[in-house]
Amino acid sequence: MIADVLTEAGDRMAKAVDVARDDFNTVRTGRANPALFQRILVDYYGTPTPLGQLAALQAPEARMLVVTPYDKTALKDIERAIATAPNLGATPSNDGTLIRVVMPELTEDRRREFVKIVRGKGEDAKVSVRNIRRRAKDDLDALKSEVGDDDVARAEKELEALTKRHVDAIDEALKRKEAELLEV
């Protein structure tokens, strides 16, 4: 019972760390990266659809990304979604068959703004890990009558160590992303 609770909490925390890393990849550093556009939602026939499902994304140059839609009728919707995407500052140009997106040069102020955004995403990920810990602790407390106080206390110490390991992983990924953002 206790092992199941700890295993489930560990798996969920690992997923939260993976989501945080993916979120960090959506914040641009200096190069045009297809990962920046994966989370952009396009209104496709009334349904918000991720851009990665509607188009092929390629980066032929350092500051340019080419978006080739699978369905040419969605070209205008894709262009509108890219133009209105927050924290991107990109200018899409449509030539009738594909969209070229030129990424602007990053200024020092813009880099610092991106660092603040990344820190916010990191804090959200830590809150998620702490919520998982809280739920697991509640589950452990519910098991006190079945397994005893000593086993639950040992499991709570293990849960704290697990939480610390995952929070440290988020901090490490955050530190790497900040260094990447501030590098000129």
Side-chain angles (χ1 to χ4, degrees), residues 15-36:
K15 286 179 186 171
V17 172
D18 290 342
V19 166
R21 287 187 182 126
D22 288 345
D23 263 356
F24 293 162
N25 285 339
T26 63
V27 177
R28 93 181 194 94
T29 49
R31 298 182 48 83
N33 183 354
L36 296 171

Side-chain angles (χ1 to χ4, degrees), residues 43-90:
D43 187 35
Y44 185 64
Y45 292 110
T47 306
T49 308
L51 181 58
Q53 293 178 7
L54 294 175
L57 304 168
Q58 297 141 347
E61 296 175 23
R63 289 186 38 228
M64 180 188 287
L65 195 81
V66 175
V67 180
T68 310
Y70 303 128
D71 179 8
K72 302 296 183 212
T73 60
L75 208 58
K76 290 280 187 210
D77 294 331
I78 292 172
E79 184 180 16
R80 189 176 317 112
I82 292 171
T84 60
N87 306 322
L88 206 54

Side-chain angles (χ1 to χ4, degrees), residues 2 7 12 21 26 51 70 78 90 94 103 122 152 175 182:
I2 290 176
T7 303
R12 292 176 74 195
R21 287 187 182 126
T26 63
L51 181 58
Y70 303 128
I78 292 172
N94 178 351
M103 306 299 284
V152 170
K175 211 176 291 179
L182 294 175

Side-chain angles (χ1 to χ4, degrees), residues 109-126:
D109 292 338
R110 191 77 171 133
R111 288 176 189 275
R112 296 209 181 282
E113 198 176 304
F114 282 153
V115 166
K116 287 180 186 175
I117 291 168
V118 168
R119 284 184 183 157
K121 288 177 183 279
E123 195 54 44
D124 291 345
K126 288 181 200 176

